[in-house]
Every structure is written in structure tokens, then in C-alpha cells.
Amino acid sequence: MTDAKAPDSSATRVADTDIAAVPRPAVPDRVVRTTRAVALTGLLALIALGLAWELWLAPTGRGTLALKVLPLVFCVAGLWRHRMYTFRWLSLLIWLYVMEGLARAPGEGGTGTLLAVLQVLLSVVVFSASAVYIRWRLRHAPPPAGGLPETAKP
């Protein structure tokens, strides 16, 4: 009884086959592997530095500040397994170590100042490697399974 036709959905949205046909550059595995290796190496060095600083090189108190590396230890497995969530979380967490190094550098004397500056440098290296890793992974991610999101459809 009604003459109104349903709108042609194929004309208003992009078909899934069209999205799959869009050529996407292959993920440069070398960049992803290199940035992960740099981030993981920097993280392990930061853990070693934190333990050595608080337990042997320039301890403050009874060594309880060595517990500050505990959050970093939890990140190692995620970085090892290429977990994007861990890279994102670490890129925010690492700024606490930058702030600690910047706060302790002028107050410490001799070895403590050198260790604080080294902590800041290692933290910046870990952040930079994580940021590049995240950007490359997101830029070269495959399109979503359902096609373009509703907001991106014409």
C-alpha cells in the first residue's frame, strides 16, 4: 500500500569490499621492532638504575625508595608482547620518573645529581620510543572489521 521505497543503503554508505580494496602500506616491521627494542632496553635500564641508585650508589634512608621501580617492572611483559595498552600506559607513567629526576637533581649532591639526570634522559628515551611505536602501530592498523565508523561515513 505504501509507495515509499526504503532508501538505498548502498548509495549512502561505503561497502565493506570498497574498504578492503583500498591499498594500505604494509606496517614497517623494522620501525615497530626497533622502537619496541629501544623502549624495552630503556625501561630495563631505568629499572636497573632505580634499584642501583636507591640500594647501592646513593641510598636515601633504608632503601624503601627502591619500590618506585615496581610499576616499571609490571610494564616489561606488556612491552615484550607488543601490547598497545601497555605502551600507552607507560607513556603516561614515565613522566612521574622525569619529574622525580628533575626534582632530585638540584637537591642531591655529586653522584645523586648524575643519577637523577640519567633517570630523566632514560625516561625521555622510553617516552619517545613508546610514542613512535604507538603512532606507527595506529597509522598502519588495518581498517575496522565493520567498515568506516558511522561518523566517517558520507
Side-chain angles (χ1 to χ4, degrees):
M1 297 229 136
T2 59
D3 290 321
K5 289 184 177 180
D8 186 14
S9 62
S10 63
T12 58
R13 68 182 170 98
V14 179
D16 292 337
T17 57
D18 292 340
I19 292 174
V22 174
R24 298 189 58 84
V27 177
D29 289 332
R30 184 183 43 164
V31 173
V32 171
R33 281 191 315 239
T34 303
T35 54
R36 188 198 88 176
V38 169
L40 192 56
T41 303
L43 183 65
L44 292 173
L46 195 57
I47 291 169
L49 174 71
L51 290 175
W53 183 359
E54 300 302 339
L55 296 177
W56 299 290
L57 299 175
T60 55
R62 293 184 296 178
T64 54
L65 278 179
L67 293 175
K68 70 181 180 185
V69 302
L70 196 57
L72 298 177
V73 172
F74 292 128
C75 293
V76 172
L79 265 60
W80 185 261
R81 295 182 180 136
H82 291 273
R83 306 261 188 217
M84 183 70 86
Y85 179 80
T86 307
F87 277 93
R88 290 176 174 171
W89 184 68
L90 177 63
S91 68
L92 296 174
L93 174 71
I94 202 73
W95 290 109
L96 295 174
Y97 296 90
V98 171
M99 288 189 299
E100 183 206 11
L102 291 174
R104 288 181 72 175
E108 301 268 336
T111 306
T113 302
L114 178 66
L115 295 172
V117 170
L118 187 58
Q119 177 174 321
V120 170
L121 292 175
L122 281 172
S123 299
V124 170
V125 166
V126 169
F127 172 78
S128 301
S130 296
V132 171
Y133 179 90
I134 291 167
R135 289 184 64 95
W136 274 95
R137 286 270 313 265
L138 289 177
R139 183 177 293 153
H140 300 289
L148 291 175
E150 290 296 323
T151 57
K153 291 181 181 177

